[in-house]
Amino acid sequence: MDRATFRDLLRALPEAALAGAQAADGRAITPAMLARGGFTLHAIAPGRYRLRWGGYDVLDAARPGQAFVLDLNGLSPVPPTATSPTRQPARPTSPRAAVRQIEGWDDDE
């Protein structure tokens, strides 16, 4: 899986996947925050990741003092809504798309 695909997967996570995840200052961690980046994901088992943000473990509110473990196993991404951003595929462009002929350039006269 490439980086963009993985980031899209994180952006489309259901809120329940991050239930209890909180930063060291107590702020709740959301899928949008994960998708923006700045997090380090450490694989601890297939499909399970310990999250770090700003050099600190993301904490689990249900287990005080313990690191939150993001479990992606069996999760289905939430389909995008009309208000959520979606990644647009890159449009192929011709290498000459931004090129125009300059009159008098390269004339043989």
Side-chain angles (χ1 to χ4, degrees):
M1 181 181 305
D2 66 15
R3 177 177 285 189
T5 303
F6 189 69
R7 201 164 268 177
D8 286 346
L9 173 69
L10 293 178
R11 182 179 292 118
L13 280 177
E15 292 283 334
L18 292 169
Q22 60 183 217
D25 64 3
R27 284 185 290 163
I29 305 296
T30 66
M33 291 170 74
L34 276 178
R36 279 194 302 268
F39 288 85
T40 306
L41 282 72
H42 296 274
I44 57 172
R48 295 173 51 98
Y49 301 90
R50 190 182 84 230
L51 302 176
R52 290 182 61 85
W53 187 36
Y56 296 96
D57 282 336
V58 170
L59 301 175
D60 191 339
R63 300 179 308 142
Q66 299 293 314
F68 179 81
V69 175
L70 175 62
D71 188 353
L72 298 178
N73 293 307
L75 287 180
S76 298
V78 176
T81 63
T83 58
S84 67
T86 57
R87 268 179 42 88
Q88 297 294 323
R91 281 189 266 170
T93 57
S94 162
R96 298 187 56 84
V99 176
R100 66 178 178 85
Q101 183 69 30
I102 299 174
E103 286 184 43
W105 182 261
D106 209 17
D107 284 346
D108 290 332
E109 295 179 56

